[in-house]
């Protein structure tokens, strides 16, 4: 399977090794440097990596001949596995509260609908058979949230939890679905699967083994990592190595390795402990390396003029995907089952960004020996380009327009665990005093969380010993020792006036306690309640009015106020803002 | 209903002793009952404190806007207190409070209540206004700044 005509391995003499080092090193370095462009120009990062790959490629400046699909296929698998592992590590189980079911619906039903609509259109425009058309649909069926989140956070956009969690979990779980559909259609085309029964069996073994092994092995690995005492640098390597084992094992017995490695990451990432502090940064880097490497290779692999041949019809496919298939899929997968607002559905529809997965999937037909394989590859490539350009370029604008943003307050400039306790460890938070109302305030007058303390204070590069009577000055740097639970209070304390004002405009002038009884709230503002509502807490009342799973930022208009959910603990609304109409 | 009309100079208080949130509200209740005979200081106090129990009216940046409906209140009335020392008001940003704008409305005046609250909040949101109020040195100056701020607020919303 891995024989390749492009790069004869036996002539890997020193010269070619040196060239390889030089080329890959400079390409990756260039990509990283160019990533600064992304925040300046607002161009999606992935587009830059892809562009660099194409520039280096056969029709670009460097003219590197690379058409080794098998090697690209291998790199694609490696990179996707690492990206999914990192995605799992970063997904907080607590976001499953609001995001899991809608995401699952999008990842299954949604992918089906997207693939079917795009597939039928592709069948018509390229004059393909039904199965061939559907293969085009399946290849472009999955979304890439990593691209979405890196763009949004780069531009300071913070999504509300319902939208954020749904998109994040969707992109982690829909890749296995798209991969499954692609594999199945490829095997149908080359005649390795016969009949419905076998297809169904294939489906169940992919998802069954994927889920079981992913969760089971993930749980074990998480326990192991937590109890092992290793050199700090080894935790991330062990996690990666075991993740690969899970991937290989699952695939070998017929499950979906991609699903399994995502779930493994999820289990490891949600097992708290100090090992996570060593694992996460390394995997962040690995995920970046994977993204960069993958896109560079894909950019190298493609022949731009061939893509151009397909540009017009593939562009139409992309437009159908963006404006018809994705909105329809989101509508069908979400609207009947979940209480999302229309503008949230609108935003999720728009953020069906396609990333690396479709291009990697487009290599499957090439490897599988499907007739006319070049078509799939070039079409997928063009669709991803269009998607990154059209959707990627307008993300933050769209987030503002559909009002799915929630303001973020101040966070520590730096934070790090002290490593003294294995669980619920103390951390050091470093803040800069920028809040004018803290200027000249003695430390003892600060409303400090009781478990936290200021351990050091730096003024003009000199460390002071803070006492209760020490007065803070603007530009002071303050080291606070506390627990993650103290963060909300600390962030509030060091928050500047401008941010407070923005928060007040969003969450309302007054904040009420979610525990307050509705009868008391009604008495204070002259509201009319039905008998059953009098005994409810304000939090429960607002949650009921919002419907479904409330998230921070949800609001309901009632009695001349807008009642805004401004803080939650699990499923409970703990703070409610009162926004007044002016 | 305009804020100017319900905030006469004598209800703009300068250099009020702070102490605690409770003491400040007590001080205002006693003061307003003397100032407006129909009001009962106990009633006003329990209404204001009752509202605080639902969540502090400290809106941040050292400002609090205690407000309540009162059955004995015939027309909306406002009072402003500049405290000598900032007190802990359990405000959203945790900052102690030294500027207190109190609003009392009759029970039936619900829409007016909200409109007035909106005006006060809008006015106190202005950092410049807060700064000038803090710098002011007499009751009269305080009242002038407030009237001017209310006027500006009205012009903007008009």
């Amino acid at each position: 399977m891995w024989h390749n005509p492009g790069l004869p391995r036996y002539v890997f003499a020193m010269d070619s090794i040196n060239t390889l080092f030089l080329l890959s090193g400079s390409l990756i370095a260039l990509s990283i440097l160019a990533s600064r462009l992304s925040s300046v120009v607002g161009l999606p990062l992935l587009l830059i990596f892809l562009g660099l790959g194409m520039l280096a490629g056969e029709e670009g400046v460097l003219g590197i001949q690379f058409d080794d699909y098998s090697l690209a296929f291998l790199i694609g698998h490696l990179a996707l596995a690492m990206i999914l592992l990192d995605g799992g590590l970063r997904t907080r189980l607590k976001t499953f509260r609001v995001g899991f079911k809608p995401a699952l619906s999008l990842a299954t039903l949604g992918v089906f609908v997207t693939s079917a609509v795009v597939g039928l259109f592709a069948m018509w425009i390229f004059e393909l058979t039904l199965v061939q058309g559907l293969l085009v649909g399946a290849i472009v069926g999955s979304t890439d949230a990593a691209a979405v989140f890196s763009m949004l956070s780069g531009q300071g956009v913070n999504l509300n939890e319902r939208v954020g969690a749904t998109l994040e979990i969707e992109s982690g779980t829909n890749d296995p679905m798209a991969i499954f559909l692609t594999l199945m259609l490829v095997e149908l085309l080359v005649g390795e699967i016969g009949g419905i029964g076998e297809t169904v069996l294939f489906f169940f073994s992919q998802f069954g083994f994927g889920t079981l092994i992913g969760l089971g092995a993930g749980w074990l690995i998480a326990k192991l990592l937590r109890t092992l005492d290793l050199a700090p640098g080894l935790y991330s390597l062990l996690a990666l190595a075991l993740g690969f084992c899970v991937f290989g094992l699952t695939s070998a017995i017929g499950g979906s390795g991609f699903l399994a490695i995502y779930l493994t990451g999820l289990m490891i990432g949600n097992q708290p402990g100090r090992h996570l502090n060593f694992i996460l940064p390394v995997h962040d880097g690995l995920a970046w390396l994977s993204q960069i490497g993958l896109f560079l290779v894909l950019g190298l692999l493609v022949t731009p003029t061939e893509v151009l041949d397909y540009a017009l019809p593939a562009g139409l496919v992309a437009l159908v995907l963006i404006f018809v298939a994705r909105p329809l899929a989101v509508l069908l997968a979400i609207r009947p089952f979940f209480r999302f607002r229309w503008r949230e559905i609108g935003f999720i529809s728009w953020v069906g960004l396609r990333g690396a997965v479709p291009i990697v999937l487009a290599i499957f037909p090439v490897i599988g020996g499907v007739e006319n394989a070049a078509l799939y590859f070039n079409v997928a490539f063009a669709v991803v380009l269009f998607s990154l350009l059209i959707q990627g370029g307008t993300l933050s604008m769209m987030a503002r327009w559909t009002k799915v943003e929630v303001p973020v307050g101040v966070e520590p400039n730096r934070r790090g665990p002290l490593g003294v306790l294995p669980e619920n460890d103390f951390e050091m938070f470093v803040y800069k005093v920028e809040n004018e109302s803290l200027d000249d305030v003695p430390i003892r007058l600060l409303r400090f969380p009781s478990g936290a303390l200021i351990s050091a204070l730096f003024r003009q590069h000199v460390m002071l010993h803070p006492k209760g009577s020490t007065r803070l000055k603007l530009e002071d740097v303050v080291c606070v020792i506390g627990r993650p639970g103290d963060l909300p209070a600390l962030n509030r304390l060091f928050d500047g006036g401008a941010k407070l004002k923005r928060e007040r405009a969003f969450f309302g002038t007054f904040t009420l306690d979610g525990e307050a009884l509705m009868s008391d709230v009604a008495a204070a503002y002259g509201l009319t309640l039905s008998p059953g509502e009098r005994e409810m807490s304000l939090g429960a009342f607002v949650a009921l009015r919002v419907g479904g799973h409330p998230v921070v930022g949800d609001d309901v208009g009632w009695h001349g106020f807008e009642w805004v959910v401004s803080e939650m603990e699990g499923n409970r609304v703990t703070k409610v803002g009162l926004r007044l109409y002016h | 209903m305009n804020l100017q009309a319900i905030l006469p100079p004598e209800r703009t208080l300068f250099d009020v002793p702070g102490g605690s949130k409770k003491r400040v509200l007590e001080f205002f209740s006693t003061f307003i009952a003397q100032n407006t005979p129909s009001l009962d200081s106990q009633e006003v106090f329990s209404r204001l404190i009752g509202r605080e129990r639902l969540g502090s009216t400290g809106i941040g940046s050292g400002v609090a806007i205690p407000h309540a409906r009162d059955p004995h209140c015939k027309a909306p009335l406002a009072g402003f207190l500049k405290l000598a020392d900032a007190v802990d008001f359990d405000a959203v940003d945790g900052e102690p409070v030294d500027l207190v704008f109190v609003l009392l409305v009759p029970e039936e005046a619900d829409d007016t209540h909200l409109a007035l609250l909106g005006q006060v909040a809008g006015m106190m949101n202005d950092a410049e206004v807060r700064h000038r109020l803090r710098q002011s040195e007499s009751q009269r100056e305080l009242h002038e700044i407030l009237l001017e701020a209310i006027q500006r607020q009205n012009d903007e919303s008009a």
Side-chain angles (χ1 to χ4, degrees):
Chain A
M1 194 171 182
W2 301 116
H3 113 100
N4 71 72
L7 271 177
R9 252 161 241 187
Y10 49 84
V11 290
F12 258 162
M14 279 318 282
D15 270 359
S16 46
I17 292 182
N18 294 342
T19 320
L20 186 69
F21 269 67
L22 181 62
L23 276 180
S24 56
S26 50
L27 276 179
I28 292 174
L30 258 179
S31 304
I32 294 169
L33 294 178
S35 72
R36 288 295 304 149
L37 270 180
S38 171
S39 41
V40 180
V41 193
L43 215 66
L45 261 179
L46 303 183
L47 215 53
I48 295 179
F49 302 153
L50 209 52
L52 272 173
M54 283 159 76
L55 269 181
E58 51 201 310
E59 288 172 341
V61 198
L62 293 185
I64 300 171
Q65 289 281 343
F66 180 77
D67 50 8
D68 188 342
Y69 282 87
S70 317
L71 183 61
F73 193 61
L74 174 66
I75 294 177
H77 272 71
L78 257 174
L80 282 187
M82 286 204 263
I83 292 169
L84 280 169
L85 181 64
D86 181 63
L89 283 170
R90 254 152 242 292
T91 306
R92 298 278 71 85
L93 267 178
K94 123 176 136 49
T95 63
F96 274 52
R97 174 183 74 90
V98 285
F100 180 63
K101 288 180 191 161
L104 204 62
S105 176
L106 280 171
T108 48
L109 184 61
V111 173
F112 266 120
V113 175
T114 313
S115 305
V117 173
V118 173
L120 289 176
F121 183 75
M123 173 183 151
W124 173 73
I125 201 161
F126 293 111
E127 294 172 4
L128 301 172
T129 65
L130 180 64
V131 179
Q132 287 171 330
L134 288 179
L135 180 56
V136 175
I139 285 172
V140 298
S142 84
T143 60
D144 182 348
V148 174
F149 284 99
S150 71
M151 282 209 68
L152 288 179
S153 64
Q155 296 174 17
V157 177
N158 181 38
L159 298 179
N160 87 34
E161 193 189 3
R162 180 179 302 117
V163 172
T166 303
L167 287 172
E168 198 178 355
I169 304 171
E170 179 202 7
S171 78
T173 47
N174 68 6
D175 297 342
M177 188 67 186
I179 294 168
F180 161 76
L181 286 177
T182 306
L183 270 178
M184 188 191 78
L185 290 165
V186 167
E187 303 210 346
L188 270 177
L189 278 177
V190 296
E192 280 183 18
I193 287 189
I196 303 281
E198 235 177 293
T199 312
V200 172
L201 193 69
F202 184 51
F203 178 88
F204 279 107
S205 82
Q206 283 276 305
F207 283 84
F209 287 127
T211 313
L212 275 179
I213 300 180
L215 289 179
W219 186 80
L220 281 174
I221 295 170
K223 286 271 175 247
L224 178 73
L225 283 170
R226 203 180 133 177
T227 40
L228 271 185
D229 195 13
L230 294 174
L234 292 179
Y235 285 102
S236 52
L237 274 184
L238 185 60
L240 183 67
L242 290 173
F244 279 168
C245 289
V246 171
F247 185 96
L249 177 72
T250 316
S251 306
I253 62 170
S256 165
F258 294 101
L259 180 61
I261 199 168
Y262 173 76
L263 292 174
T264 299
L266 190 70
M267 297 306 282
I268 298 175
N270 282 284
Q271 174 78 255
R274 77 183 188 118
H275 61 285
L276 276 188
N277 302 313
F278 306 127
I279 295 179
L280 289 177
V282 178
H283 278 265
D284 188 47
L286 285 176
W288 274 112
L289 181 66
S290 307
Q291 295 269 12
I292 295 174
L294 186 53
F295 274 82
L296 282 176
V297 167
L298 294 174
L300 276 172
L301 189 61
V302 77
T303 314
T305 42
E306 279 178 27
V307 178
L308 270 181
D309 292 342
Y310 291 97
L312 187 66
L316 288 176
V317 171
L319 292 182
V320 167
L321 171 70
I322 294 171
F323 292 104
V324 184
R326 171 74 178 171
L328 188 70
V330 174
L331 198 66
L332 288 178
I334 292 217
R335 190 66 199 172
F337 314 114
F338 310 100
R339 301 261 304 243
F340 279 53
R341 288 121 195 273
W342 281 108
R343 47 195 173 78
E344 292 170 340
I345 291 187
F347 183 74
I348 295 175
S349 300
W350 190 249
V351 192
L353 215 66
R354 312 289 134 166
V357 179
I359 313 184
V360 176
L361 286 185
I363 306 179
F364 279 57
V366 183
I367 301 289
V370 172
E371 169 197 2
N372 210 359
L375 174 117
Y376 302 105
F377 185 74
N378 290 310
V379 169
F381 203 91
V383 167
V384 170
L385 274 185
F386 275 106
S387 168
L388 285 176
L389 268 176
I390 298 177
Q391 295 171 308
T394 52
L395 269 184
S396 47
M397 198 187 80
M398 211 58 179
R400 298 210 168 92
W401 189 59
T402 52
K403 299 202 194 99
V404 290
E405 269 190 284
V406 177
V408 261
V410 154
E411 287 189 339
N413 298 8
R414 239 154 18 87
R415 58 183 286 190
L418 295 186
V420 285
L421 302 176
E423 273 170 65
N424 193 17
D425 194 8
F426 281 96
E427 285 190 51
M428 186 185 68
F429 308 113
V430 179
Y431 288 94
K432 192 164 181 186
V433 179
E434 287 169 329
N435 184 354
E436 285 184 17
S437 60
L438 290 185
D439 194 22
D440 210 31
V441 174
I443 286 176
R444 81 186 128 78
L445 282 190
L446 297 179
R447 282 187 50 82
F448 231 63
S450 58
L453 67 93
I454 295 187
S455 59
L457 194 156
F458 296 88
R459 185 170 297 162
Q460 287 158 353
H461 305 286
V462 179
M463 188 170 96
L464 306 180
H465 291 274
K467 291 196 271 297
S469 56
T470 311
R471 286 172 184 269
L472 292 178
K473 291 260 179 299
L474 288 182
E475 304 292 303
D476 279 358
V477 174
V478 176
C479 293
V480 181
I481 307 241
R483 288 204 159 101
D486 301 323
L487 271 179
L490 289 172
N491 290 340
R492 250 193 329 264
L493 184 68
F494 289 100
D495 206 337
K499 279 176 179 150
L500 185 71
K501 198 166 172 176
R502 202 167 58 227
E503 270 184 30
R504 219 146 50 195
F506 186 86
F507 291 117
T509 307
F510 298 106
T511 308
L512 301 186
D513 197 344
E515 299 288 303
L517 267 188
M518 271 322 276
S519 51
D520 295 337
V521 177
Y525 290 103
L527 316 171
T528 10
L529 292 173
S530 63
E533 291 166 344
R534 299 188 59 81
E535 305 306 315
M536 288 173 103
S537 72
L538 173 63
F541 179 80
V542 171
L544 193 70
R545 290 265 164 158
V546 170
H549 294 288
V551 295
V552 169
D554 280 344
D555 53 12
V556 279
W558 183 58
H559 266 292
F561 289 113
E562 279 187 36
W563 306 72
V564 193
V565 176
S566 59
E567 194 182 284
M568 303 228 25
E569 265 179 45
N571 252 328
R572 218 157 41 85
V573 179
T574 49
K575 292 263 163 67
V576 177
L578 277 187
R579 201 152 55 199
L580 302 158
Y581 299 118
H582 287 286
Chain B
M1 178 60 62
N2 195 324
L3 270 178
Q4 272 150 326
I6 63 169
L7 183 64
E10 73 269 16
R11 284 207 295 263
T12 308
L13 304 178
F14 181 76
D15 214 14
V16 173
S20 69
K21 177 173 177 174
K22 189 166 159 258
R23 292 268 290 281
V24 170
L25 295 180
E26 251 167 11
F27 176 88
F28 176 80
S29 308
T30 317
F31 165 79
I32 200 75
Q34 282 163 0
N35 179 281
T36 316
S38 70
L39 293 176
D40 171 51
S41 72
Q42 272 309 312
E43 178 76 29
V44 172
F45 178 71
S46 74
R47 293 276 171 156
L48 287 173
I49 271 292
R51 169 59 189 81
E52 294 300 323
R53 266 192 221 110
L54 304 177
S56 172
T57 57
I59 63 169
S61 316
V63 176
I65 312 177
H67 54 277
R69 305 190 314 145
D70 188 301
H72 305 300
C73 187
K74 297 206 171 60
L77 57 89
F80 185 86
L81 289 73
K82 180 173 184 272
L83 305 184
D85 296 303
V87 299
D88 179 8
F89 221 87
D90 207 14
V92 277
D93 61 350
E95 292 293 307
V97 163
D98 61 346
L99 303 175
V100 182
F101 202 119
V102 194
L103 205 57
L104 285 182
V105 294
E107 287 218 295
E108 60 278 9
D110 293 331
D111 292 341
T112 321
H113 190 181
L114 302 193
L116 288 172
L117 269 180
Q119 279 186 54
V120 177
M123 177 179 115
M124 299 306 290
N125 251 339
D126 188 337
E128 174 67 26
V129 171
R130 293 196 301 267
H131 180 72
R132 290 182 58 202
L133 288 172
R134 290 200 170 105
Q135 297 300 314
S136 76
E137 296 194 332
S138 68
Q139 186 168 7
R140 220 181 102 183
E141 199 186 337
L142 207 56
H143 189 245
E144 274 164 15
I145 297 167
L146 284 168
L147 285 195
E148 203 181 301
I150 294 168
Q151 188 59 49
R152 190 143 26 106
Q153 168 92 358
N154 289 348
D155 292 346
E156 272 169 26
S157 53

